[in-house]
Amino acid sequence: MESIQQDKETVSLKKIIIYYLCHWKLFIIAGLISIIPALLYLIYTPKTYEMMAKIQLLEDKSSAGSGFNVEEASGLMKSFGLGGINGGSINLDDEMAKLTSNTTLKEMVLALGLNVAYYKPYAYKYKMYEDSPLRLVPDSVTQANLTATFVFDVDIKKDGKVSLKIEDPDNKKKVRLSFDALPAEIELEGGRFTLSYANDVVKPLSMDIEVSPAGWAAETLSDDLLFDKYSKNANVVEISYTDYEKKRGLDVLQKLIDIYNNQEDSVKRYEGEKSITFLNERIQSVMNDLSNIEMRIEHYKKQNKMTDIEYDVQFYVEQVKELQTKIIELEAQMRVIDLLDTYIKDPQNRYNLIPSLLSISDGEKASPISTYNEILLERAKLLQSSKGNNPLIDQVNKQVDQLRESVFLSIANAKKGVKLTLDDLKGKEKLLMDKMGSIPSVEREYVNYKRQQEIYQTVYLILLQKREDLALSIGEKKERARVIETPYVKQRPIGPRKLYAAFGMLLFALLAPVGYLFGKEQYSVLKKEYKQSK
């Protein structure tokens, strides 16, 4: 039975094939007809090109001497709630998120005016670029508050008179306006626009212009932009863009790179200025302390009539010079640690980096402070690149809270260590001072005053040097994205595709006759059944 069923199916299939082959003329006619839409597709579809650019994302390791870099300023500012300057190693995913963000693309759209589409007359959805005869410019308020697409149907007569038909999406109605000449100010409930000639050439024309929100235009543009990593081990990103206007495509790539560099530079400058302000405040505070101690020294010398104290204590200075140098260094370090301790315990600085300028870990990568800073940097990158709620941020916050206690303990231990060393040196100094019984107590107190003066001078010079280094660092404009290959147009256009036209012709030549014959046959069957039913 199965063999008989298979034979019947084979015979039926042969009959169907023979039936369609008998109507081979229909297939030839359909093939000839399919040439027409294929030619229309190839002729009227504009040539689309692919534009390419290649950039290298550079690490921000700018320095201006004394081993100071932007990371130090970043930690210094963040520890006191002043933000920071991005630095350190590159995270390609984070940087690509900035490049592809709607904010960056929106800024590029506004810079090039791509949210205003000038449709070429007698062409299907062809958006002109530089060759548009008209310019329609929304004012800044309208550009910022635009929430819908306005469609302007412009008709210019031979005498220069202009008639407009505007689709107002806010009121869902069409507004008709007329002007004797251009430029013209157009005031609508949804905003204000200025319509003018691009080259001051008056000629009759009719065209459509669409004005969309910049964010919408950025979303549409992102579909034609492609970002790809060059390799896993390189900080290189390939950017490609497809468009039928070559100049527009090149401008899009170049402007995108320029905006990204400007954004990074503006952040660096803004945070750098804040850090300089912070350093200026600290320098002024140290200068006031230094001035006070100098006035006390002056008053002390006058009170005790000490005119040649430098020569009187020369013997003491020679004996305790080495100890005094170490004590001054430790006193300065203790003051710096106290400054760090005051600000790190402020609850407002909970998620701010411990400044590397004041770091007491001496570069130990495994120290609690270094670990704490690394966790905070990861948290900052997550906040910068995340959209909406991210459970990873809560997890990082818990790690930060756990490590914060160990940072407190580390700072306390450092203070104890410095104090123990300082007490030991002062004890040795006291032994030497006791041996010098001939030195009056007045001179010993004067030495203490001089020591405090030198401590303030040391702190002042440190802060002054850091401020100068930072000013030099942010004064140099360095591109974050270095262009390896400037935007260029690939030689061969990617559209219209001849393969698509050929495939469409083949489908039409096969499906149209088959559909016609099948429908005809079914119609005959239904007609026969209808007659039999009567």
Side-chain angles (χ1 to χ4, degrees):
M1 292 294 293
E2 291 182 0
S3 177
I4 295 173
Q5 183 67 26
Q6 290 179 358
D7 292 340
K8 288 183 178 180
E9 291 178 356
T10 303
V11 172
S12 178
L13 181 60
K14 288 182 178 179
K15 287 176 63 178
I16 293 173
I17 295 174
I18 293 172
Y19 172 74
Y20 284 113
L21 289 177
C22 290
H23 296 83
W24 57 271
K25 293 182 180 180
L26 284 176
F27 290 91
I28 294 177
I29 293 172
L32 294 175
I33 294 174
S34 66
I35 295 176
I36 297 174
L39 290 176
L40 292 176
Y41 166 74
L42 294 174
I43 293 172
Y44 289 101
T45 301
K47 288 186 178 181
T48 304
Y49 295 88
E50 184 178 14
M51 277 61 70
M52 290 286 297
K54 194 178 293 183
I55 59 174
Q56 180 185 14
L57 300 177
L58 304 176
E59 296 182 9
D60 191 357
K61 294 183 178 180
S62 54
S63 60
S66 302
F68 178 76
N69 56 41
V70 178
E71 275 194 70
E72 293 187 16
S74 177
L76 184 62
M77 290 186 298
K78 287 190 175 182
S79 66
F80 299 105
L82 297 175
I85 301 177
N86 294 331
S89 61
I90 290 289
N91 187 319
L92 273 182
D93 292 332
D94 290 345
E95 301 307 317
M96 289 175 66
K98 296 179 189 177
L99 279 167
T100 57
S101 67
N102 188 266
T103 301
T104 303
L105 295 179
K106 180 179 177 180
E107 185 176 347
M108 184 263 292
V109 165
L110 291 175
L112 298 178
L114 299 182
N115 63 317
V116 182
Y118 303 92
Y119 289 101
K120 189 174 183 179
Y122 311 111
Y124 179 73
K125 295 296 182 179
Y126 187 101
K127 297 180 182 179
M128 294 183 287
Y129 186 52
E130 289 187 331
D131 55 344
S132 173
L134 299 178
R135 285 290 179 267
L136 183 65
V137 181
D139 64 6
S140 58
V141 177
T142 303
Q143 195 76 275
N145 299 325
L146 204 60
T147 58
T149 300
F150 285 80
V151 180
F152 294 77
D153 185 358
V154 185
D155 188 14
I156 302 178
K157 308 299 182 183
K158 291 182 179 180
D159 56 1
K161 292 185 177 181
V162 182
S163 61
L164 293 175
K165 185 170 63 175
I166 306 169
E167 293 183 10
D168 191 341
D170 293 330
N171 300 319
K172 296 182 179 179
K173 63 180 182 180
K174 291 185 178 181
V175 180
R176 296 180 182 274
L177 300 174
S178 61
F179 302 96
D180 293 332
L182 295 181
E185 296 290 335
I186 305 170
E187 293 191 12
L188 303 172
E189 293 185 12
R192 300 180 61 183
F193 305 84
T194 301
L195 181 64
S196 61
Y197 292 107
N199 300 314
D200 296 329
V201 178
V202 180
K203 60 180 181 180
L205 60 91
S206 178
M207 64 181 296
D208 292 335
I209 304 175
E210 285 186 1
V211 182
S212 304
W216 294 5
E219 289 180 12
T220 304
L221 189 71
S222 64
D223 296 336
D224 297 322
L225 276 169
L226 180 63
F227 298 83
D228 192 18
K229 298 178 183 179
Y230 183 74
S231 69
K232 294 182 179 179
N233 300 323
N235 294 338
V236 176
V237 178
E238 292 180 333
I239 311 175
S240 62
Y241 177 69
T242 57
D243 202 333
Y244 44 81
E245 285 281 353
K246 296 180 182 179
K247 186 63 169 62
R248 179 167 55 204
L250 295 175
D251 288 348
V252 164
L253 294 180
Q254 187 60 56
K255 182 60 68 175
L256 181 63
I257 296 171
D258 293 341
I259 288 174
Y260 172 77
N261 280 328
N262 290 336
Q263 286 177 344
E264 294 297 312
D265 186 65
S266 63
V267 170
K268 177 183 174 183
R269 290 180 181 276
Y270 174 70
E271 300 295 353
E273 290 171 359
K274 289 171 65 178
S275 69
I276 289 179
T277 302
F278 158 75
L279 289 174
N280 286 335
E281 293 173 355
R282 298 300 175 272
I283 288 173
Q284 185 61 44
S285 175
V286 174
M287 287 180 63
N288 293 336
D289 293 338
L290 184 59
S291 177
N292 291 335
I293 194 65
E294 288 175 348
M295 291 177 64
R296 291 173 65 183
I297 291 174
E298 181 181 0
H299 177 73
Y300 186 81
K301 291 174 72 174
K302 288 182 179 180
Q303 183 180 6
N304 294 279
K305 299 179 180 180
M306 300 170 64
T307 55
D308 297 323
I309 188 64
E310 289 81 3
Y311 297 101
D312 296 337
V313 298
Q314 183 176 4
F315 176 77
Y316 163 78
V317 172
E318 292 295 329
Q319 292 294 319
V320 298
K321 182 177 180 180
E322 182 178 358
L323 285 176
Q324 185 180 28
T325 301
K326 294 180 179 180
I327 291 174
I328 289 173
E329 292 176 354
L330 289 174
E331 289 281 2
Q333 185 177 356
M334 181 65 77
R335 289 181 182 272
V336 172
I337 294 174
D338 289 337
L339 179 64
L340 172 63
D341 189 53
T342 300
Y343 280 91
I344 195 61
K345 290 182 178 179
D346 190 342
Q348 295 181 355
N349 301 322
R350 180 181 176 187
Y351 297 119
N352 293 327
L353 287 177
I354 297 176
S356 54
L357 171 63
L358 306 177
S359 177
I360 57 175
S361 62
D362 295 329
E364 295 176 3
K365 294 184 178 179
S367 70
I369 294 178
S370 298
T371 306
Y372 184 75
N373 281 344
E374 291 175 0
I375 293 297
L376 288 180
L377 285 173
E378 292 180 6
R379 179 182 180 274
K381 290 181 179 180
L382 279 175
L383 289 175
Q384 188 177 30
S385 60
S386 296
K387 297 181 180 178
N389 295 328
N390 191 337
L392 291 177
I393 296 177
D394 294 334
Q395 184 178 355
V396 172
N397 288 343
K398 292 180 181 179
Q399 293 180 347
V400 170
D401 293 337
Q402 294 173 357
L403 288 174
R404 189 172 178 81
E405 295 299 327
S406 63
V407 170
F408 291 156
L409 182 60
S410 177
I411 294 175
N413 291 336
K415 290 178 66 174
K416 290 179 182 178
V418 173
K419 189 176 184 304
L420 288 175
T421 306
L422 191 60
D423 291 341
D424 181 64
L425 292 176
K426 286 184 177 180
K428 293 179 181 179
E429 182 190 34
K430 187 176 181 302
L431 290 177
L432 290 176
M433 295 291 288
D434 291 339
K435 292 179 181 180
M436 295 183 291
S438 60
I439 299 178
S441 60
V442 174
E443 293 177 345
R444 286 199 293 271
E445 189 171 353
Y446 172 76
V447 169
N448 290 330
Y449 279 133
K450 289 292 292 182
R451 180 183 299 152
Q452 293 181 31
Q453 181 188 31
E454 292 183 13
I455 291 171
Y456 284 123
Q457 287 176 343
T458 302
V459 175
Y460 171 76
L461 291 175
I462 291 174
L463 295 177
L464 196 66
Q465 180 64 41
K466 297 304 179 182
R467 183 184 67 177
E468 183 177 354
D469 292 343
L470 182 58
L472 291 174
S473 175
I474 66 174
E476 300 176 358
K477 183 176 181 179
K478 293 185 177 180
E479 294 182 343
R480 178 79 161 186
R482 183 171 66 88
V483 179
I484 299 178
E485 289 184 358
T486 56
Y488 67 95
V489 183
K490 286 192 173 181
Q491 181 179 3
R492 294 183 179 179
I494 61 174
R497 298 182 182 270
K498 296 180 180 179
L499 182 61
Y500 289 174
F503 186 69
M505 289 174 59
L506 180 60
L507 284 179
F508 184 84
L510 292 176
L511 297 180
V514 170
Y516 171 75
L517 294 173
F518 180 77
K520 182 180 178 181
E521 184 179 0
Q522 292 301 316
Y523 175 75
S524 299
V525 173
L526 292 174
K527 187 176 180 181
K528 185 177 180 181
E529 290 177 354
Y530 177 73
K531 288 180 178 181
Q532 290 177 355
S533 64
K534 283 188 175 183

